[in-house]
Amino acid sequence: MWELAAAFGYCALSAVVMVLPAELYLLGAAAWTDVPGIWLALAGAVGQVAGKMLSYLVGRGVLSTERLRTRTQGRWVQRMTRVEDWCSEHGWGPAAVTFVSAFSGLPPYALVAVLAGALRMPWWLFAAVSVLGRFLRFWAVVTIPHLLPGTLFGL
């Protein structure tokens, strides 16, 4: 049970301290513990989204899209404007962008979390879509050790 708490805690911390790779931690945990990967993936996803809620709240209360746009330069301004315009044209746009980002990491999930808050996406929708995307991403990661031959790298 402590493995799940550790996965939750590490992934929550990695959402704030972005140099800590959640995927690498979960891959190691899946390889060296007997905890089913699906539970590690779920604990990691919930932890990561709990940490990213801080970014969402920053976007919700501190930043507006206009202020973010004036602080950013170059192509990011154009890309952000394009994403914002597309999201305003499609009611499901923010949820779709959040899911794709949570699953694939593109556009960067940290940026999307702030933008979701700035675009006033409902917090519960952001959290639900993010948990689903992160869970699928992390589940794929923790499944990798079980797909490798047993003698590979001494695992």
Side-chain angles (χ1 to χ4, degrees), residues 22-24 26-28 30 135-145:
E23 292 84 358
L24 193 57
L26 292 171
L27 183 63
F135 169 72
L136 293 173
R137 177 185 180 98
F138 293 160
W139 192 17
V141 167
V142 298
T143 302
I144 290 171

Side-chain angles (χ1 to χ4, degrees), residues 90-148:
H90 302 87
W92 47 269
V97 170
T98 299
F99 175 78
V100 168
S101 178
F103 179 73
S104 71
L106 295 171
Y109 184 50
L111 179 63
V112 169
V114 174
L115 282 174
L119 291 172
R120 302 288 189 227
M121 181 178 179
W123 70 268
W124 58 267
L125 182 59
F126 171 76
V129 171
S130 292
V131 166
L132 179 62
R134 283 280 126 161
F135 169 72
L136 293 173
R137 177 185 180 98
F138 293 160
W139 192 17
V141 167
V142 298
T143 302
I144 290 171
H146 303 293
L147 299 176
L148 298 174

Side-chain angles (χ1 to χ4, degrees), residues 59-78:
R60 186 73 184 221
V62 176
L63 297 175
S64 69
T65 54
E66 192 58 40
R67 184 172 171 196
L68 190 60
R69 195 176 288 114
T70 60
R71 289 182 162 214
T72 311
Q73 301 198 11
R75 295 184 313 203
W76 283 107
V77 174
Q78 296 167 347

